[in-house]
Amino acid sequence: MWTANPLSGRVALIDAKTLAVTLDTAGDGPSEVLGLPDRGAGFGALVLNERSDDATLFRLDAEGRAAKTARLRTHPTANAWAASASGAYAIAWADSARLGRVPDPLETFQDVSVLTLMPGAESSQALSIGRRPS
């Protein structure tokens, strides 16, 4: 199980069998954690760092230790995740319901970040897809 602490900038990996906790740093303001399936690259997690507008990709090695494998840019205001069933791709977007405030009517939330998570081919691309996608 993974969890993030935006105040400390750390991510915790909790072993479900032993309850051992391993801490590692992520970016500035880690918040949303997305667990990734093992599809040949090892289980992992993608952590959205809201204040640094990027994501940290963690993978578990053969001994079950977490290792940072990539830092990927995301667009400003990204606060939500979804991943493909294979764990090879993810998308980050701005969910206006999670803002903690009433959005300005002029805010469009039209940007998304598409991330490729395949080992050795990690990348990200910000795209503008239209006003307030749903």
Side-chain angles (χ1 to χ4, degrees):
M1 183 171 88
W2 302 83
T3 185
N5 184 330
L7 297 177
S8 71
R10 294 181 183 262
V11 173
L13 170 61
I14 304 166
D15 186 303
K17 292 179 184 173
T18 66
L19 300 181
V21 178
T22 306
L23 295 174
D24 203 344
T25 58
D28 190 10
S31 59
E32 299 300 314
V33 180
L34 179 66
L36 300 172
D38 181 6
R39 299 287 192 250
F43 289 101
L46 191 58
V47 181
L48 184 61
N49 305 306
E50 288 188 33
R51 291 192 298 262
S52 55
D53 298 330
D54 63 8
T56 306
L57 177 60
F58 291 90
R59 292 278 185 204
L60 295 182
D61 64 17
E63 287 79 40
R65 293 182 304 244
K68 287 183 264 193
T69 60
R71 288 279 295 269
L72 303 164
R73 298 294 309 158
T74 60
H75 67 284
T77 72
N79 65 0
W81 280 125
S84 64
S86 68
Y89 303 96
I91 186 170
W93 73 93
D95 182 347
S96 61
R98 295 183 184 188
L99 289 177
R101 61 177 171 80
V102 176
D104 185 302
L106 298 177
E107 288 181 279
T108 61
F109 303 110
Q110 68 187 17
D111 296 325
V112 298
S113 295
V114 179
L115 290 80
T116 300
L117 306 175
M118 293 176 284
E122 296 93 346
S123 65
S124 64
Q125 178 68 44
L127 303 171
S128 182
I129 60 170
R131 186 177 191 278
R132 294 203 179 184
S134 60

